Amino acid sequence: MTLDTRTIMLWLPDWPITAHLRTQALEVPQAERTLPDEPLAIVHAGAVVACSAAARAEGVARGQRRRDAQAACARLRLIPFDAARDERAFHGVLTHLEDLVPGVQPLRPGLAAIRARGPARFYGGEAEAAEALRAALVGIGLDEARAGIADGLFTAEQAARAAHPLAIVPPGRSAEFLAPLPVTVLGDDDLALLLARLGVKTLREFAALDAQRVHERFGPRGLRLRSLAAGADSRVAAPRIPPPELMRELVLEPALELAEQVAFAVRQTAESFCEGIRAERLVCTAVRITVETDRGERSERVWQHPKSFDAAGVVDRVRWQLQPSAREAPVEGGVSRIQIEPEAVDDGAAHQPALIGQGPDERSHHAMTRVQAVLGHRAVLTPSLGGGRWSAEREGLAPWGDVAPPEHPRDRPWPGSLPVPLPSEVFRDPHPARVLGGGGEMISVDERGFVTDPPATIDGLAVTAWAGPWPVIERTWDPRRARRAHRFQLVDARGTAWLAVFENDVWWLEGRYS
């Protein structure tokens, strides 16, 4: 082995758990967040892929079936596997390491390799360099970080996994270090199972097999794994090319209190932000804006755009974020710092304007954004259809350009909701109605769900056809919010079809069919 193969490997145990804990403040609702000392397990395809120390203490292990893990720990919190979440969280770790040393290679989320020669010269030795990098990770809250130094990527990874917290394999001693390890560390379950049937359980025994026989039985991949078992790993760390820094920041000294002053001051920063994205042949479709004040207040929000942001659009979002709203408390202190960073980008070629003129959608978008710029962010609202049992609660309104999920998701079961066709006109405020029977008495519904008399008139008009009742029963466990109602479809003498509701001995109209 040459000095070029000497590698520093940094390993963060249980990274999927760590990634969830570090990102849940922005991505998980408050009621669903977990605590670091809870027994947690990341589950994928019905099996545990990672678990916390508290879960391991109660018998949960990686590779365990979901049911067995829950049987071992009754209070286990299960979290779905999310590869994108692990990569997003690890990106910040890579950026932090690249501020200290160049040439970091991410192997997978939670595992990174660095050629040892450069850092060893700078820090005065391999051990000093590895300890400095590990201490930097501890400084950002990754207390379990481990480091290993060895010849080649494979041996360095095994050293990092065996480290407490640092392990060094001297040059040329890889085979000796790897010899007692089980063949399962090669990462090929099928090969490990077959070798176990042949009585080969350690890397020493696998490396002792004849190379020609291994190639005949297992092919090129088996021969490659035998070389790893023998410590003959010639791979070196291949540094990644860091992505361009697209975030822009503006520090205001002194702090500004008026929204218009802030909007004027941030204009040049917004133009620099958009120019940086265009230079990479990208467009920004979602931007994260963070505002801090001289009183320690912090406002952070992600703004969506139906097409892509320009500098004027970013400035408008900064102004709107400073305006009071029902969703967030107003910013009272003077604005001292603004950070603008892309939350989502897209290929710029897909957002090129039309060759001749503009389409109606583009003109409509410009008109709506001009109205918003003059009257405010919520001056133009876009309706969207969500879920729910009642017609009025299925309609959601979001500001033009925002892509907000509905309050009641459509993909959930809603027992008691209306089947199609739905009313073409929905009354947001209930309209009172009088539904009478043949004897002139108001109709009601008994406890068994039967009407006391067939509907004869609705608001003085004869009922020519009717159907129902269909019960809607909600939240029986909560006396304050419990509802029990019955729906009817009624057609009057003029041919108008109504959706009527009987609730609390009162009739009202929920909607009308065209």
Side-chain angles (χ1 to χ4, degrees):
M1 291 291 176
T2 67
L3 291 177
D4 286 339
T5 63
R6 296 293 288 175
T7 303
I8 299 176
M9 190 70 67
L10 297 171
W11 178 51
L12 301 172
D14 306 324
W15 178 252
I17 296 289
T18 305
H20 165 74
L21 294 174
R22 292 173 73 90
T23 59
Q24 65 176 347
L26 296 177
E27 302 179 4
V28 179
Q30 180 69 37
E32 300 177 12
R33 294 177 189 173
T34 56
L35 299 176
D37 56 352
E38 286 186 81
L40 309 174
I42 304 292
V43 179
H44 179 61
V48 176
V49 298
C51 57
S52 63
R56 281 194 296 273
E58 300 197 25
V60 181
R62 185 175 179 270
Q64 204 170 34
R65 302 302 300 174
R66 172 176 179 165
R67 182 181 302 176
D68 296 335
Q70 290 177 308
C73 179
R75 60 191 188 95
L76 182 67
R77 293 284 299 273
L78 299 179
I79 304 166
F81 174 73
D82 187 347
R85 174 191 61 207
D86 297 346
E87 293 179 1
R88 286 195 304 270
F90 195 52
H91 175 75
V93 177
L94 295 175
T95 303
H96 187 68
L97 289 174
E98 287 169 341
D99 290 339
L100 302 175
V101 294
V104 180
Q105 178 189 4
L107 300 179
R108 55 183 174 272
L111 187 68
I114 306 167
R115 292 187 186 184
R117 174 182 290 185
R121 290 177 176 176
F122 181 81
Y123 288 100
E126 292 179 345
E128 291 79 1
E131 184 56 39
L133 296 175
R134 198 194 69 81
L137 296 180
V138 173
I140 59 174
L142 301 173
D143 299 336
E144 299 298 323
R146 301 182 184 181
I149 306 174
D151 297 332
L153 298 178
F154 177 72
T155 308
E157 179 180 349
Q158 304 311 313
R161 292 181 179 275
H164 295 286
L166 172 63
I168 302 177
V169 180
R173 304 286 293 275
S174 296
E176 181 182 344
F177 171 78
L178 295 172
L181 299 180
V183 292
T184 53
V185 301
L186 294 172
D188 191 323
D189 294 338
D190 294 336
L191 176 66
L193 180 60
L194 183 54
L195 290 176
R197 291 175 179 175
L198 297 175
V200 178
K201 298 181 179 179
T202 65
L203 296 186
R204 176 190 292 110
E205 296 169 343
F206 185 34
L209 297 179
D210 183 76
Q212 183 64 29
R213 298 299 184 187
V214 171
H215 185 270
E216 292 175 356
R217 182 64 180 84
F218 302 109
R221 174 169 173 77
L223 192 61
R224 171 61 184 164
L225 294 178
R226 179 189 174 278
S227 298
L228 295 181
D233 186 5
S234 60
R235 295 174 300 166
V236 297
R240 72 163 187 161
I241 300 176
E245 182 57 67
L246 300 178
M247 185 269 292
R248 296 293 185 271
E249 182 180 80
L250 173 64
V251 178
L252 298 172
E253 183 64 38
L256 300 179
E257 297 185 357
L258 298 180
E260 292 301 327
Q261 291 178 329
V262 176
F264 180 81
V266 81
R267 186 175 299 277
Q268 188 173 356
T269 305
E271 292 175 353
S272 174
F273 169 77
C274 294
E275 285 294 336
I277 291 178
R278 280 196 295 269
E280 299 299 324
R281 299 181 180 179
L282 301 172
V283 294
C284 180
T285 58
V287 62
R288 181 184 298 275
I289 297 177
T290 305
V291 177
E292 296 180 359
T293 71
D294 53 2
R295 296 185 181 181
E297 300 169 299
R298 179 185 176 90
S299 171
E300 184 172 344
R301 183 171 177 181
V302 175
W303 296 89
Q304 305 277 353
H305 197 287
K307 291 188 178 293
S308 62
F309 278 104
D310 57 9
V314 174
V315 172
D316 284 339
R317 269 61 178 184
V318 173
R319 182 190 299 110
W320 296 338
Q321 189 161 331
L322 295 175
Q323 294 174 350
S325 67
R327 299 170 55 184
E328 298 179 357
V331 175
E332 297 181 353
V335 176
S336 59
R337 176 177 172 270
I338 299 175
Q339 179 176 299
I340 306 172
E341 56 183 326
E343 183 71 12
V345 295
D346 197 5
D347 186 1
H351 293 259
Q352 293 296 327
L355 182 61
I356 301 176
Q358 296 177 331
D361 292 343
E362 188 72 16
R363 292 195 297 270
S364 299
H365 171 66
H366 282 299
M368 301 302 180
T369 52
R370 287 293 298 273
V371 174
Q372 283 182 313
V374 175
L375 300 181
H377 180 47
R378 299 192 64 84
V380 182
L381 303 178
T382 304
S384 61
L385 187 62
R389 297 181 178 87
W390 301 97
S391 302
E393 71 182 10
R394 297 188 64 180
E395 181 187 82
L397 296 175
W400 176 266
D402 280 11
V403 184
E407 183 178 357
H408 303 89
R410 298 179 62 181
D411 57 354
R412 296 181 182 176
W414 295 101
S417 60
L418 281 176
V420 293
L422 300 175
S424 57
E425 182 181 359
V426 175
F427 305 135
R428 185 170 293 275
D429 297 321
H431 290 197
R434 286 177 54 83
V435 181
L436 306 178
E441 299 292 333
M442 187 182 72
I443 298 173
S444 62
V445 181
D446 60 23
E447 295 180 353
R448 300 181 61 186
F450 293 105
V451 293
T452 56
D453 196 17
T457 62
I458 174 173
D459 291 338
L461 296 174
V463 174
T464 58
W466 67 280
W470 298 291
V472 182
I473 303 173
E474 292 184 312
R475 304 183 184 94
T476 56
W477 61 88
D478 187 349
R480 293 181 301 174
R481 299 193 301 161
R483 294 187 68 177
R484 185 182 183 90
H486 293 82
R487 282 192 173 110
F488 291 79
Q489 290 176 332
L490 306 173
V491 181
D492 61 24
R494 293 182 298 189
T496 304
W498 303 94
L499 179 62
V501 180
F502 179 75
E503 182 179 11
N504 296 329
D505 295 329
V506 175
W507 284 89
W508 53 276
L509 300 178
E510 187 179 356
R512 175 168 52 191
Y513 296 89
S514 295

